[in-house]
Amino acid sequence: RAIDLGAFRDPALARELIERIASVVGDRELNLMEVCGTHTMSIGRYGFRSIMPPGLHLLSGPGCPVCVTANRDIDHVIALAKLDGIVIATFGDMMRVPGSTSSLAAQKAAGHDVRIVYSPLDAVRLAQDNPGLDVIFVGVGFETTTPTIAATILDAAARGLANFSVMSAHKMTPPALRAIADDPETRIDGFILPGHVSTITGLAPYRFLVDEFSIPGVVTGFEPVDILESILLLAEMARGGKPAIENAYRRGVNAEGNPVARAMVDRVFETCDATWRGLGTLPSSGLAIRDEYARFDARRRFDVEIEPTQEQRGCRCGDVLRGAIAPTSCPLFGRACTPEHPIGPCMVSSEGSCAAYFRYRA
Ligand code: SF4
């Protein structure tokens, strides 16, 4: 049955929620963080930061997959792109992300074979159509993306494809939430939890926020009323209610998530430590391809020398991603760094906090 989204965009309901938020927050200081690139864009698009009570701060966390990808991983892909006979297949937003000294766009301009694809299956087709080339798909994303990548690897295995592999830089959301909850420099009073990711994970992986840190969380959707409702629920819990993990996105998420999708991911991937921009190396926060599918693992198939990692000079993406500063506090924001001339990944990706702040002047 089609869902009528009109109710989730109802201006009268939105106004009522905004008034209730103001009355619940009063003159308190509250830090709420979203950890989903689509929420980042929605909050910017609807101008919610500017209409919240002065003490309520909406922070953007590590919800943009391109932004959290470490320079070392980007440098690794760039090193792979330089090999003869290789095609790098990637989603478009990875093209302009700067590594230590280069980007995939620069490698393409230099004559290396880098192609934009719209799904990993396009990369499989590319491999099938070009048996003389090795196609490497750049796997970046959270729990929402990984089931498709796992299905693609299983499909490539079923087809017996020998010239397709994945450079996995996939990450999982809960370890990043743990790192932020545990960060003494960042005080978070509640998390606006990701809608898409939670369709796969369900609610259980977030329980530790309440059990170990007494921080509430609300899973929500992307319409104005969804976001405002999650802010109101978090403000009420932070004001003295019992912290809990609530689901305000029942039309999209059920408490159990999608066990079939998780089982497919488990078949192909195992957890590994992963390095996140801004958060460092977090234990069991990444996904590596299992030994059984090692022939599809570009990290193991191709031996490359990776240049020493350097961070972009002056870029504060790391601090932005852990909510320590707002993008506008970066001295380069809107001056040296704009979407046309991005210096860090948070300005490159449309889901990046700096790009959202710039676009919507939040
Ligand atoms: Fe980095 Fe640009 Fe954002 Fe500053 S404004 S943190 S330089 S991406």
Side-chain angles (χ1 to χ4, degrees):
R1 192 159 63 90
I3 291 172
D4 173 17
L5 285 179
F8 297 96
R9 296 173 188 156
D10 179 356
L13 188 49
R15 259 194 307 277
E16 186 191 322
L17 286 165
I18 291 164
E19 281 165 20
R20 286 174 63 192
I21 291 167
S23 114
V24 169
V25 173
D27 55 7
R28 287 177 189 79
E29 291 284 323
L30 281 186
N31 291 332
L32 305 183
M33 176 180 271
E34 37 65 21
V35 282
C36 162
T38 315
H39 282 156
T40 304
M41 289 199 297
S42 292
I43 288 169
R45 180 182 304 127
Y46 299 122
F48 285 152
R49 279 192 189 85
S50 59
I51 54 170
M52 287 294 122
L56 196 156
H57 308 287
L58 295 176
L59 308 174
S60 290
C64 156
V66 167
C67 307
V68 299
T69 302
N71 265 13
R72 177 89 183 155
D73 285 334
I74 295 164
D75 293 342
H76 194 151
V77 177
I78 288 169
L80 290 167
K82 292 177 180 170
L83 295 176
D84 286 340
I86 293 287
V87 180
I88 298 291
T90 178
F91 294 143
D93 54 359
M94 279 300 285
M95 288 294 281
R96 292 200 305 152
V97 176
S100 293
T101 58
S102 185
S103 66
L104 285 174
Q107 293 308 310
K108 187 176 172 69
H112 298 295
D113 198 344
V114 181
R115 305 188 199 185
I116 292 176
V117 291
Y118 296 96
S119 98
L121 289 171
D122 291 345
V124 166
R125 252 175 252 126
L126 203 55
Q128 266 185 320
D129 295 345
N130 296 278
L133 297 172
D134 257 299
V135 176
I136 300 175
F137 178 73
V138 183
V140 165
F142 298 116
E143 288 89 338
T144 331
T145 317
T146 41
T148 315
I149 313 297
T152 304
I153 290 175
L154 292 172
D155 180 54
R159 291 169 194 261
L161 265 187
N163 64 332
F164 171 78
S165 59
V166 173
M167 161 76 196
S168 174
H170 293 105
K171 295 188 172 53
M172 291 180 293
T173 310
L177 295 174
R178 175 179 288 282
I180 288 168
D182 216 11
D183 182 347
E185 286 180 35
T186 313
R187 197 204 81 208
I188 302 297
D189 300 296
F191 283 105
I192 299 170
L193 294 168
H196 295 141
V197 162
S198 305
T199 60
I200 306 296
T201 62
L203 305 186
Y206 306 126
R207 299 267 182 236
F208 73 92
L209 289 171
V210 171
D211 297 344
E212 298 176 39
F213 299 97
S214 296
I215 300 178
V218 176
V219 173
T220 199
F222 307 95
E223 300 298 332
V225 166
D226 290 321
I227 292 173
L228 291 170
E229 190 188 357
S230 70
I231 293 171
L232 177 61
L233 285 169
L234 288 169
E236 285 174 342
M237 287 192 271
R239 196 183 72 163
K242 207 165 160 267
I245 302 299
E246 300 278 359
N247 182 5
Y249 190 38
R250 288 211 164 77
R251 67 183 188 279
V253 170
N254 67 56
E256 290 72 39
N258 185 335
V260 175
R262 290 200 302 271
M264 189 148 59
V265 172
D266 279 351
R267 214 172 130 191
V268 175
F269 291 101
E270 59 191 349
T271 56
C272 64
D273 297 351
T275 304
W276 299 57
R277 189 185 302 275
L279 301 178
T281 301
L282 304 181
S284 302
S285 67
L287 289 173
I289 295 171
R290 288 187 184 276
D291 288 348
E292 194 184 339
Y293 297 100
R295 61 195 184 282
F296 299 106
D297 185 350
R299 288 183 190 269
R300 290 196 253 188
R301 268 183 62 171
F302 304 99
D303 204 13
V304 281
E305 202 159 310
I306 307 166
E307 65 179 311
T309 307
Q310 297 170 39
E311 296 305 325
Q312 285 71 32
R313 238 171 134 180
C315 174
R316 305 278 308 271
C317 268
D319 293 328
V320 169
L321 287 165
R322 59 193 185 88
I325 64 164
T328 44
S329 299
C330 169
L332 305 184
F333 178 87
R335 297 184 179 92
C337 183
T338 63
E340 284 69 43
H341 301 285
I343 289 182
C346 300
M347 191 61 96
V348 174
S349 171
S350 60
E351 294 196 341
S353 308
C354 298
Y357 268 70
F358 187 89
R359 184 163 176 200
Y360 301 112
R361 295 289 170 175

